[in-house]
């Protein structure tokens, strides 16, 4: 068995404490489930769902704090994704992600719900459920680094990976 | 490696040969009885161990450090320097203890011992006296090799704590936790005091939320090796691993008994808690809310389960009776309450609250919802509380000095101490008794 490099402190250190700032969580609004609509529009290569972490044909969708509810922008992006999926036979993995505030276990569940919300919309739109897999990474794989709303907003997303 | 993980401490202690072992139990009981409940720390004179010979003296000094460090870690004792005239060994045969000198410095208990050698083994002969009544409370000999010094010293500490408090001690208990020091989140274990860190998984992926079964035979954890968070149940003796075959995600296991572990599985569309057998098969579904239900933790008899649910909006703690199915909301203070841990005595549940202003703090609440107590404050994010097997301490993580590290504190609050200093961040500790 290898010795680990973690060193035990012979004398336990009393730790100094200081408060830190963060944003106060707000409860998420509840909205009606999405309903598929037409007509389809061509997928946009840039805009809402596209950034340095999403350059593929399918755009990502973003969420409010502690919410898996799809905003109007998110629904529009999913509709465009659905059109692309209707024209292409590829399978898709939808990854649910969270910002790193709150606690890890709850964020794992929240990421699961975000991925499931995105999938549910696409299935209602007409994509076969067998073509969409979902997974949650919770707060484990953040896209943007930083402790500010800009970074957090980037990390609260359902990320599309074409397989 | 996993086989070795099965408690080096107890393997060694089991191999110790116990010589004339006179645990004076009735005296110990009497001692416990005359101490008032909550009387504070036990005032203890811990005398230097006697030894003749160079080797013996070296081992005696090491054992002095081990025993002193072990007893200090418990925060059960006030350790007093021995008075200079504590022993009279003028007649060379019988050492006479000066009890009036002990009581004059306020000592309640005197501990002394002798280190000798027999072939290559070390013999540690320990005596414990009540200072006021000059009564011998315990006389026990511990035997082991030079490699077993730490186990021998801690075996005595365990006996002393049990004798004087009437409770099982933390000596011999283990902590499992997550560290990202290799660049990947992997599961590790160490002794109760942070010694002997060993890596248990080498997934080069993400491993999370380790939890050991009460008998120490199975490790349940979440592993991303397959590409999705999957509940693994590893038999530590046979090295076999059972994975829960259902797709979707698995979250945060908690043991109900040696044969059943609960975890959240989302294959049915919502994040519901299920009971899972150690072979990975599902025993039954426990929650039915269509919202997020996570982080099961059980009363000691397994009849009740505390868990986190978003059924009312933001996450709160609930308690479900597994027999009747009745569910009661436990927490009404705080907007975001997660990470429950049921105490080994069954009376309290520790958990965390994400507070206005961004702090995450640890609280305890009685299992009936009364007696809310805040244990940490103004220290950044304090997460993942887990009780020591004797219920006296809580291990948790804190980012109070930057990176997330493991800390311990009294389960009533106070005595907060860093447990491990090392590379990376250490998270999600779980403390268990290795018996």
């Amino acid at each position: 068995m290898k010795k680990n490099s973690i060193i035990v402190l012979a004398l336990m250190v009393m730790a100094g404490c200081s408060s830190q700032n963060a944003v106060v969580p707000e409860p998420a609004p509840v909205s009606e489930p999405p309903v598929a609509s037409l007509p389809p529009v061509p997928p946009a290569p840039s805009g809402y769902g596209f950034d340095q972490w999403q350059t593929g044909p399918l755009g990502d969708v973003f969420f409010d704090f502690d919410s898996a509810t799809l905003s109007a922008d998110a629904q529009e992006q999913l509709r465009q994704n659905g059109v692309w999926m209707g024209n292409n036979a590829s399978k898709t993995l939808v990854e649910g992600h969270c910002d790193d505030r709150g606690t890890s276990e709850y964020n794992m569940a929240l990421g699961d719900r975000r991925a499931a919300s995105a999938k549910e919309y696409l299935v209602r739109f007409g994509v076969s459920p067998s073509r969409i897999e979902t997974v949650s990474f919770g707060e484990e794989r953040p896209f943007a680094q930083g402790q500010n709303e800009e970074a957090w907003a980037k990390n609260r997303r359902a990320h599309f990976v074409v397989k | 490696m996993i086989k070795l993980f099965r408690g080096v401490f107890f393997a060694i202690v089991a191999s110790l040969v116990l010589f004339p072992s006179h645990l004076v139990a009735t005296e110990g009981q009497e001692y416990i009885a005359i101490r008032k409940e909550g009387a504070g720390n036990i005032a203890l004179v811990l005398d230097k161990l006697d030894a003749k010979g160079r080797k013996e003296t070296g081992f005696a000094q090491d054992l002095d450090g081990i025993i002193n460090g072990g007893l200090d870690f418990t925060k059960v004792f006030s350790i007093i320097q021995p008075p200079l005239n504590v022993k009279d060994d003028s007649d060379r045969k019988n050492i006479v203890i000066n009890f009036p000198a002990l009581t004059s410095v306020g000592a309640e208990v005197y501990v002394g011992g002798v280190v000798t050698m027999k072939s290559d083994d070390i013999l540690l002969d320990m005596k414990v006296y009540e200072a006021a009544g000059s009564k011998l409370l315990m006389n026990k000999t511990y035997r082991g090799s030079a490699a077993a010094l730490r186990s021998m010293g801690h075996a005595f500490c365990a006996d002393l704590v049990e004798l004087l408090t009437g409770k099982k001690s933390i000596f011999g208990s283990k902590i499992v936790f997550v560290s990202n020091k290799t660049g990947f989140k992997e599961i590790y274990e160490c002794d109760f005091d942070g010694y002997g860190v060993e890596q248990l998984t080498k997934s080069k992926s993400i491993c999370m939320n380790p939890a050991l079964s009460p008998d120490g035979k199975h490790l349940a954890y979440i592993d991303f090796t397959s590409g999705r968070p999957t509940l693994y149940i590893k038999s530590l003796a046979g090295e076999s691993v059972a994975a829960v075959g259902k797709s979707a995600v698995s979250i945060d296991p908690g043991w109900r008994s040696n044969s059943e572990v609960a975890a959240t599985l989302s294959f049915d569309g919502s994040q519901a808690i299920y009971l899972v057998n150690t072979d990975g098969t599902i025993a039954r579904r426990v929650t039915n809310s269509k919202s997020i239900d996570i982080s099961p933790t059980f009363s000691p008899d397994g009849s009740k389960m505390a868990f986190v649910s978003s059924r009312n909006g933001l996450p709160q703690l609930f308690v479900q009776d597994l027999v009747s199915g009745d569910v009661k909301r436990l927490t009404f203070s705080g907007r975001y309450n997660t990470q429950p841990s049921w105490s080994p005595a069954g009376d309290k549940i520790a958990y965390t609250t994400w507070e206005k202003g961004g702090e995450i703090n640890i609280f305890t609440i009685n299992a009936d919802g009364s007696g809310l107590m805040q244990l940490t404050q103004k220290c950044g994010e304090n997460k993942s509380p887990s009780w020591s097997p004797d219920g006296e301490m809580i291990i948790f993580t804190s980012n109070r000095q930057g990176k997330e590290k493991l800390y311990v504190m009294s389960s009533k609050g106070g005595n907060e101490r860093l447990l491990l200093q090392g590379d990376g961040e250490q998270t999600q500790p779980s403390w268990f008794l290795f018996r």
Side-chain angles (χ1 to χ4, degrees):
Chain A
M1 291 168 108
K2 281 184 185 168
K3 282 284 167 203
N4 194 286
S5 68
I6 292 173
I7 299 158
V8 176
L9 281 188
L11 294 169
M12 298 297 175
V13 179
M14 295 299 291
C17 298
S18 63
S19 58
Q20 67 174 40
N21 302 317
V23 172
V24 177
E26 290 299 333
V30 178
S31 72
E32 290 302 306
V35 179
S37 63
L38 39 111
V41 292
S46 63
Y48 168 84
F50 300 88
D51 57 18
Q52 64 190 103
W53 299 286
Q54 182 52 274
T55 55
L58 301 179
D60 291 349
V61 296
F62 299 92
F63 296 88
D64 289 340
F65 169 77
D66 191 42
S67 171
T69 304
L70 299 167
S71 66
D73 283 345
Q75 293 184 40
E76 173 56 23
Q77 182 61 59
L78 289 170
R79 207 166 60 81
Q80 292 176 24
N81 290 359
V83 170
W84 188 92
M85 292 179 80
N87 296 327
N88 295 273
S90 326
K91 287 193 173 185
T92 299
L93 175 66
V94 184
E95 302 175 354
H97 294 269
C98 302
D99 67 44
D100 67 354
R101 295 173 302 158
T103 47
S104 152
E105 301 82 8
Y106 189 75
N107 281 335
M108 196 61 73
L110 183 59
D112 195 33
R113 286 179 94 79
R114 285 175 177 165
S117 289
K119 175 174 178 173
E120 186 189 347
Y121 188 98
L122 288 166
V123 170
R124 284 173 184 236
F125 189 77
V127 180
S128 164
S130 64
R131 290 180 56 202
I132 310 167
E133 264 192 77
T134 62
V135 70
S136 174
F137 283 96
E139 62 180 58
E140 298 301 314
R141 292 272 164 85
F143 295 88
Q145 302 300 320
Q147 292 297 311
N148 52 65
E149 180 51 34
E150 194 186 347
W152 294 326
K154 284 284 183 192
N155 293 333
R156 295 191 298 261
R157 73 166 80 194
H159 178 61
F160 281 78
V161 181
V162 178
K163 294 197 129 181
Chain B
M1 146 134 202
I2 298 299
K3 275 180 184 163
L4 284 174
F5 155 67
R6 291 211 54 203
V8 173
F9 178 91
F10 277 96
I12 293 168
V13 170
S15 73
L16 296 175
V17 182
L18 298 179
F19 269 66
S21 172
H22 309 297
L23 260 173
V24 192
T26 50
E27 303 285 359
Q29 291 303 322
E30 198 177 304
Y31 183 78
I32 295 158
I34 59 170
R35 277 186 65 84
K36 284 181 197 146
E37 184 72 24
N41 289 354
I42 299 168
L44 179 86
V45 163
L46 181 59
D47 209 353
K48 268 181 62 179
L49 296 170
D50 288 315
K52 296 190 174 77
R54 196 172 55 83
K55 264 190 174 175
E56 288 85 344
T57 304
F59 290 135
Q61 284 171 356
D62 290 348
L63 282 163
D64 279 334
I66 291 162
I67 292 169
N68 202 319
L71 296 181
D72 181 54
F73 188 89
T74 65
K75 301 297 175 198
V76 170
F77 303 98
S78 294
I79 298 174
I80 303 168
Q81 285 295 314
L84 290 172
N85 57 343
V86 70
K87 272 183 296 200
D88 178 4
D89 57 355
S90 50
D91 78 350
R92 296 265 156 205
K93 285 227 161 151
N94 290 310
I95 294 171
V96 179
I97 296 161
N98 185 349
F99 287 104
L102 287 168
T103 50
S104 74
V105 297
E108 295 174 78
V109 175
Y110 170 82
V111 170
V114 183
V115 174
T116 53
M117 294 198 69
K118 194 166 191 177
S119 32
D120 280 341
D121 277 357
I122 296 148
L123 299 177
L124 171 65
D125 180 28
M126 297 301 293
K127 285 191 170 71
V128 178
Y129 291 92
E130 185 192 359
S134 332
K135 263 187 219 158
L136 182 65
L137 297 178
M138 179 180 138
N139 179 13
K140 191 166 176 179
T141 302
Y142 305 82
R143 179 172 181 166
S145 69
L149 275 190
R150 207 176 117 78
S151 302
M152 289 169 65
H154 284 170
F156 166 70
C157 290
D159 287 339
L160 183 69
V161 170
E162 205 163 320
L163 176 77
L164 299 183
T165 67
K167 290 182 190 167
K168 292 278 181 209
S169 73
I170 53 165
F171 295 98
S173 63
K174 296 267 185 185
I175 294 158
V176 287
F177 61 97
V178 173
S179 176
N180 66 357
K181 70 183 274 288
T182 61
F184 300 98
K185 283 194 173 179
E186 303 280 9
I187 293 165
Y188 294 75
E189 61 129 3
C190 66
D191 290 354
F192 68 96
D193 55 357
Y195 270 84
V197 175
E198 301 286 354
Q199 187 173 344
L200 299 184
T201 61
K202 288 181 177 167
S203 69
K204 298 198 168 150
S205 175
I206 303 169
C207 288
M208 302 170 65
N209 299 114
L212 272 135
S213 59
D215 61 6
K217 288 185 177 168
H218 291 93
L219 175 69
Y221 60 102
I222 303 298
D223 188 324
F224 273 76
T225 302
S226 68
R228 58 178 63 255
T230 304
L231 174 64
Y232 279 38
I233 302 165
K234 184 175 254 184
S235 159
L236 296 174
E239 299 194 29
S240 67
V241 178
V244 172
K246 294 285 189 180
S247 61
V249 307
S250 312
I251 306 167
D252 199 14
W255 289 89
R256 183 190 184 202
S257 66
N258 290 328
S259 58
E260 277 186 328
V261 63
T264 297
L265 307 174
S266 71
F267 63 88
D268 196 36
S270 64
Q271 294 72 27
I273 295 172
Y274 293 77
L275 281 167
V276 178
N277 302 312
T278 52
D279 63 0
T281 57
I282 290 171
R284 68 179 171 104
R285 182 169 177 160
V286 182
T287 65
N288 268 303
S289 74
K290 298 206 181 301
S291 55
I292 293 172
D293 292 331
I294 55 164
S295 301
T297 178
F298 292 87
S299 60
D301 66 1
S303 68
K304 291 192 169 71
M305 177 182 82
F307 64 104
V308 174
S309 180
S310 66
R311 59 190 66 190
N312 290 10
L314 282 163
Q316 293 292 341
L317 303 194
F318 292 78
V319 173
Q320 181 163 340
D321 186 306
L322 293 205
V323 180
S324 68
D326 289 349
V327 181
K328 280 184 186 158
R329 183 168 165 178
L330 181 68
T331 51
F332 290 90
S333 169
R335 293 143 58 84
Y336 186 111
N337 296 319
T338 59
Q339 301 185 321
S341 174
W342 209 307
S343 73
D347 55 340
K348 287 175 189 294
I349 293 160
Y351 67 95
T352 60
T353 298
W354 183 13
E355 304 200 76
K356 285 182 183 176
E359 282 182 27
I360 296 177
N361 282 313
I362 295 170
F363 290 75
T364 56
I365 191 168
N366 293 334
D368 65 3
S370 66
L372 181 66
M373 267 179 67
Q374 180 167 358
L375 303 192
T376 62
Q377 53 191 333
K378 296 189 173 66
C379 288
E381 295 184 349
N382 302 279
K383 299 190 219 178
S384 302
S386 173
W387 297 80
S388 63
D390 64 357
E392 294 292 322
M393 287 187 218
I394 287 175
I395 188 165
F396 62 104
T397 69
S398 181
N399 68 351
R400 61 188 62 185
Q401 292 177 316
K403 287 183 174 176
E404 277 196 273
K405 299 287 180 188
L406 302 185
Y407 290 76
V408 291
M409 64 178 163
S410 161
S411 57
K412 296 177 182 71
N415 271 325
E416 295 173 34
R417 294 165 279 163
L418 182 65
L419 185 75
L420 280 174
Q421 179 75 329
D423 297 336
E425 295 193 300
Q426 285 82 47
T427 54
Q428 298 179 334
S430 176
W431 202 332
F432 70 101
L433 190 59
F434 212 95
R435 292 271 157 94

